[in-house]
Amino acid sequence: MNKKIGRNDQCPCGSGKKYKICCLGKNDDEEFSNPINFLNNYKTLKKESRIKQCLHPDNASCSEKIIGAHSLQNNKLLKRISSNGNVYMPCPKADNPFAPVTKWGRKEATVFTGFCGHHDKSIFQPIEDGVFDKSDLHIFLYTYRCFAVEYHKKQEVINFQKNIFKRKPSLMEMSMDDDPFGGMHMAVDDFQPVKQIFDDALLTGKYDVLSSVVWEFPITINFAATGFEAPSTDLKGKKIQNLLDVETLAKHIFISVFSEENKTYCIVSWLKSNDDLFKEYRQQLEELNIQQRKNYINNTLPIISENITLNPDSWDKWDQYKKDEFGSLIWGMSEISELSGLTYNRLEAPIFDLFEL
């Protein structure tokens, strides 16, 4: 049964008032509803929806200033990947939301306002200044930064929704089943117990809360990325979890790919409390040969993440058909295939190869 917002429910616009005394019966903003104003409206909504916060649980020791923190290290990763101070990302800017890849200055690329200056420096100092050593601490820090940017972005998407509802109250009359942002609310809810585990680890210094598979390649690459997903099947198509079950929290894996010291690393990690769920998945990952591991990374990153930085000169040399296939994964080709009953094989080599950028 489709459920609509009740008169006494909290208004979806975020005012904190009941729907009946807030947006019920309000008229839509005609200027906002005019498609001619789409681009300006989008830019305004993106700006209004930004959140400045420090995600560290010890708020008492926060510095006053929330900074633009990099989810991929600027001096360590982006400087090497960039050309003329720029990188490409499949993450659109507000002035061109439909671009498959966008040019970003490396000082603005991967930036999010999720930490104060003090905590951004103190938390991640070990991986900023030291070489990745595969320790519990280093794996935790790469995974935590991946989690933090995704958690922060999802909160901003919910703000974006609220700001849309303020301008177009008629959308509140749709059923909750048709709400395009409903999944984002559930995703934030799914992340709450994960955040608690990360918070406890930060406060206690006990970082062995993750299980992981770490791949090492004896090469450097012209890209870097982080991302996460809640896989519904393993690499052989066997069901892992039912993502349509709204009563059960989704369980996630986190992925970080980066180069340093003439090597490339891929960290695939998850909470130790989910070991039973991902037992076979882990075994499958560990048994992959080098080419299969590259195929997995090539397919998985554009499916799950916009937080991918690419060397512009290398991307520009790619043939258009390679760019098109990469873009099709960014825009959801694999999800469309799976909705049609076809399993997308992440171990099959795509036309493009990020390792050849």
Side-chain angles (χ1 to χ4, degrees), residues 172-211:
M172 300 182 196
E173 292 301 310
M174 67 184 170
S175 73
M176 291 184 181
D177 291 344
D178 296 327
D179 180 359
F181 296 94
M184 198 60 62
H185 285 274
M186 286 192 289
V188 171
D189 290 342
D190 289 339
F191 265 175
Q192 294 305 334
V194 183
K195 185 178 187 304
Q196 186 61 57
I197 290 172
F198 281 129
D199 286 351
D200 290 345
L202 288 168
L203 293 173
T204 64
K206 297 178 180 178
Y207 301 110
D208 60 341
V209 296
L210 297 168
S211 293

